[in-house]
Amino acid sequence: MACGLLNLCVYETNKRFRIKSVELGTLKWTLNGAVLLFICFMMLWNKEYQEHDLVTSSVTTKVKGVALASIPEMGLVVWDVVDHSGLAQGKNSFFVATNVIVTKNQKQGKCPEVAPWGLCKTDKDCQKGFSDQQSHGVQTGPCVKFDVLKKTCEVSAWCPVENRKSPPRPALLASAENFTVLVKNNIRFPAFNYIRRNILPEMTDKDLKGCLYNRYTNPFCPVFRLGDIVHEAKERFSDMAVEGGVIGIQIDWNCDLNRFFHSCLPKYSFRRLDEKESNRTLYPGLNFRFARYSTINGVEHRTLFKVYGIRFDVMVFGKAGKFSIIQLIIYIGSTLSYYALTTVFIDWLIGTNCYSRKAKHNYSEKQCESVQDQKYLLCVSFVDEEQLRVVKMSRNKRLQETKPLSQHQWKVRALLGVLQSDGLVTDMPLLEISSSRCPDWCQCGCCHSSASFLEQLCCRKSKGRCITTSSLFPALVLTRSILEIALLYVAPLAEQHKDDQLRQQAYAQYIKWRFGDFTPMDAVPVIPSCCVWRIREQYPSPDGKYSGIIFAGATEWPVGVTRSLHIKK
């Protein structure tokens, strides 16, 4: 538990390299400067240093205007605000009538249905009590004459039934273009407890009654002429008045609530919300019906009005901002990662030979260090093979029998061939070792038994002479004078070397002889059992105990050998 807690108390950092180059240094600071300018520009443009809150609002409207209109079946009629505005159309909206179809003197009774609904030839085509969504009443059964050419089913309804289908052109109430509307908008930003209205504090009653909105000369006046609203939405009032439609009045509040830069004024914009082309929709425009009732001689009558008009929807959007040190810190922290683009670009520039081939080679060597998993890769050298074997460590299979992952040519092997050709290493008959001493995996007859699979390794792959019987083995590995000189090379003032030091140096001498300075794939070299025990016989441990194979760090390498990991015996 203690070791686990201590492992948490460490700090790791990335390895960095300094490339001394005027071109790369200039490019780095240029890119960093460009990134800084971009960050500052976006911070000021989007006001990222502010805390923001969305608007909550309420809207009320008041329409004013009166017109004299000539309506068929009614003659000249004065239409005022009550007639024009009609029924409420919903929250934050108002309606103004622009066209009308009037059906006078309707009363409850029986009359022919309007063609093309309820067409018939005989009474059998009519069903008593039948009605549907298109019917103007309930069928009574008879088939009666509608006009000179057609017959329709008789219905019980308000008679006469409304007959006209298309609205008049031009619109009968087009004079509503000159009506005005006062839009009152109250807003609040809850996070800042800030309240405001579109009737600005400096406006007086006289100003409000005399002003009229104009995008350029009077952009803050809350009184609008309906014709100007439709024109700002890029529509013609006379065309839109025929079938009606929907216009959006958008109020934008973009407020800066900082003390020195305070600004909170409404901005108006207008656009049409419905589909205006009749040939692109089945039911263009906007219309509804209402009736005015009267009683004549005890009989109830009504006048039916089918009204076409324009609905104006007032939509309020807004956001307020105020300086916040927390938001500024968050923004700066989130944008620091942009500086990594400089590193990515320069690394790409060097890595693609766009800068310099030599620089790419040197930088790649310094930046990328290949490290293999030394815990699992071992290197084996057999005296009867010309290649080094890289094998994967196994805990349930002898190292002697483990199949290689790869084989690599050892260039220094040419030296061994010369020595053998000169007669220094010659074939000798196999040494006879008793079966009780020699394990079954041994091929040279000089290995010792071991319970560890990692130590069950012979110097040969096939039966033959042991490498310890070679004249080079005692000369390079066992000679005391050579081992002491190697030890003195590291510690020149050492006066006497113990057998433990000589034994460790003998291991190192064997590794340099059989494996060289570097092993393939940085695998850990393993010394055969016969060689280990020959070295131990020459330089024994005082207590007769040996540690066997252990993995250790580079600081525990024997003298003259440099590896990231090694095997110590």
Side-chain angles (χ1 to χ4, degrees):
M1 177 63 71
C3 294
L5 294 177
L6 290 177
N7 290 336
L8 296 177
C9 302
V10 296
Y11 174 74
E12 297 178 356
T13 183
N14 295 328
K15 187 176 182 179
R16 304 180 63 184
F17 301 92
R18 180 181 290 110
I19 302 177
K20 297 181 179 180
S21 170
V22 176
E23 294 84 356
L24 293 180
T26 304
L27 179 61
K28 181 193 77 169
W29 289 113
T30 301
L31 293 177
N32 285 342
V35 170
L36 179 61
L37 289 176
F38 174 77
I39 292 174
C40 294
F41 174 78
M42 296 304 297
M43 180 183 67
L44 298 176
W45 181 264
N46 295 326
K47 297 181 179 179
E48 298 290 349
Y49 53 86
Q50 291 185 341
E51 178 186 1
H52 297 285
D53 187 28
L54 297 179
V55 68
T56 58
S57 72
S58 65
V59 174
T60 57
T61 60
K62 182 183 291 186
V63 180
K64 289 187 176 182
V66 63
L68 182 64
S70 178
I71 300 176
E73 301 184 1
M74 294 185 66
L76 292 176
V77 179
V78 175
W79 283 67
D80 60 9
V81 174
V82 177
D83 300 314
H84 273 281
S85 297
L87 300 176
Q89 294 292 308
K91 183 180 178 182
N92 297 346
S93 65
F94 62 94
F95 177 85
V96 176
T98 58
N99 209 355
V100 65
I101 296 175
V102 180
T103 305
K104 292 187 64 178
N105 299 323
Q106 286 185 321
K107 63 179 180 179
Q108 292 282 347
K110 297 178 181 180
C111 51
E113 177 65 279
V114 176
W117 297 282
L119 288 174
C120 63
K121 293 182 180 180
T122 65
D123 293 347
K124 294 181 179 180
D125 297 328
C126 300
Q127 181 182 351
K128 186 177 180 179
F130 173 80
S131 66
D132 59 20
Q133 294 179 347
Q134 305 298 331
S135 301
H136 291 86
V138 180
Q139 293 182 10
T140 59
C143 180
V144 297
K145 186 177 180 179
F146 175 72
D147 57 23
V148 178
L149 301 176
K150 300 176 183 177
K151 286 185 175 183
T152 60
C153 294
E154 185 183 65
V155 293
S156 177
W158 284 93
C159 300
V161 176
E162 181 185 55
N163 191 14
R164 185 166 182 172
K165 300 178 181 61
S166 59
R169 292 177 183 272
L172 300 178
L173 307 175
S175 57
E177 180 178 9
N178 296 314
F179 286 12
T180 60
V181 60
L182 170 63
V183 178
K184 295 184 288 185
N185 178 211
N186 296 277
I187 65 165
R188 183 172 182 265
F189 295 104
F192 308 120
N193 196 26
Y194 183 83
I195 300 175
R196 185 82 167 178
R197 63 188 306 205
N198 66 330
I199 300 177
L200 303 182
E202 58 270 19
M203 288 184 177
T204 64
D205 183 64
K206 182 179 179 180
D207 295 334
L208 195 60
K209 290 181 178 180
C211 77
L212 197 64
Y213 173 85
N214 184 282
R215 178 187 295 270
Y216 304 103
T217 60
N218 205 352
F220 303 118
C221 178
V223 180
F224 303 87
R225 179 177 171 269
L226 300 187
D228 293 338
I229 293 177
V230 176
H231 177 72
E232 288 284 345
K234 298 180 175 55
E235 299 290 339
R236 292 181 60 184
F237 193 93
S238 58
D239 295 338
M240 194 172 181
V242 175
E243 293 180 326
V246 183
I247 293 290
I249 302 174
Q250 183 170 316
I251 307 177
D252 290 309
W253 294 87
N254 189 10
C255 299
D256 189 338
L257 303 184
N258 292 303
R259 178 178 299 178
F260 299 105
F261 304 98
H262 186 277
S263 174
C264 194
L265 296 172
K267 182 180 179 181
Y268 302 96
S269 58
F270 313 90
R271 59 191 177 94
R272 184 164 184 172
L273 301 180
D274 67 316
E275 175 57 63
K276 66 179 181 179
E277 298 294 341
S278 298
N279 60 346
R280 296 183 184 177
T281 179
L282 294 176
Y283 303 100
L286 176 64
N287 64 79
F288 67 93
R289 291 176 175 86
F290 73 94
R292 293 176 180 174
Y293 294 87
S294 62
T295 302
I296 302 175
N297 297 327
V299 179
E300 187 178 31
H301 290 70
R302 77 176 186 183
T303 300
L304 179 65
F305 296 86
K306 183 178 182 180
V307 179
Y308 298 84
I310 303 175
R311 191 181 75 195
F312 296 86
D313 293 339
V314 183
M315 301 171 290
V316 182
F317 303 92
K319 183 174 69 172
K322 198 172 185 179
F323 177 79
S324 171
I325 187 63
I326 296 177
Q327 293 298 323
L328 179 61
I329 294 174
I330 292 175
Y331 175 76
I332 293 175
S334 63
T335 55
L336 289 178
S337 59
Y338 293 165
Y339 285 102
L341 296 175
T342 300
T343 303
V344 171
F345 178 76
I346 294 180
D347 286 348
W348 173 84
L349 191 66
I350 297 175
T352 55
N353 292 329
C354 295
Y355 175 67
S356 170
R357 289 180 177 271
K358 184 178 180 181
K360 174 188 176 182
H361 178 72
N362 293 337
Y363 183 63
S364 299
E365 285 188 347
K366 296 291 185 180
Q367 185 186 37
C368 302
E369 182 178 355
S370 299
V371 178
Q372 297 290 338
D373 193 349
Q374 297 292 345
K375 184 177 180 180
Y376 300 101
L377 295 183
L378 306 176
C379 188
V380 176
S381 174
F382 291 116
V383 71
D384 53 347
E385 290 185 353
E386 295 296 324
Q387 292 180 325
L388 298 177
R389 292 189 175 198
V390 176
V391 301
K392 187 176 181 180
M393 183 179 70
S394 175
R395 299 186 181 276
N396 54 13
K397 192 174 184 179
R398 295 168 178 170
L399 190 57
Q400 178 74 18
E401 301 169 355
T402 303
K403 294 183 179 180
L405 296 176
S406 60
Q407 294 184 336
H408 304 266
Q409 189 68 35
W410 184 40
K411 296 181 180 179
V412 188
R413 280 290 186 158
L415 175 61
L416 182 58
V418 173
L419 295 175
Q420 290 175 339
S421 63
D422 290 341
L424 293 178
V425 180
T426 59
D427 290 336
M428 295 180 62
L430 181 66
L431 296 178
E432 294 294 335
I433 305 293
S434 61
S435 58
S436 60
R437 178 184 175 188
C438 181
D440 57 356
W441 48 266
C442 177
Q443 303 296 323
C444 67
C446 299
C447 299
H448 291 212
S449 298
S450 175
S452 172
F453 287 120
L454 294 179
E455 296 184 4
Q456 295 181 11
L457 176 67
C458 182
C459 66
R460 304 183 63 91
K461 187 62 178 175
S462 58
K463 290 188 177 295
R465 180 185 174 191
C466 182
I467 192 175
T468 59
T469 63
S470 168
S471 58
L472 282 178
F473 186 86
L476 296 178
V477 179
L478 301 179
T479 304
R480 177 181 288 270
S481 59
I482 293 179
L483 299 179
E484 289 181 343
I485 290 174
L487 291 171
L488 288 173
Y489 183 79
V490 177
L493 300 181
E495 297 181 356
Q496 186 175 2
H497 298 97
K498 298 180 180 179
D499 284 351
D500 289 342
Q501 294 175 303
L502 296 174
R503 184 173 66 255
Q504 295 297 325
Q505 187 57 41
Y507 295 151
Q509 290 290 101
Y510 181 86
I511 291 174
K512 292 196 67 175
W513 172 34
R514 297 299 303 165
F515 296 94
D517 291 329
F518 301 97
T519 56
M521 303 172 65
D522 289 338
V524 179
V526 182
I527 304 175
S529 173
C530 51
C531 300
V532 170
W533 284 102
R534 180 66 185 88
I535 295 173
R536 290 175 178 175
E537 291 173 359
Q538 185 72 21
Y539 303 104
S541 173
D543 56 3
K545 296 180 179 180
Y546 303 96
S547 61
I549 297 180
I550 59 172
F551 292 89
T555 56
E556 299 183 26
W557 261 102
V559 177
V561 182
T562 56
R563 290 289 191 277
S564 57
L565 293 172
H566 81 285
I567 294 181
K568 180 181 178 181
K569 301 185 179 182

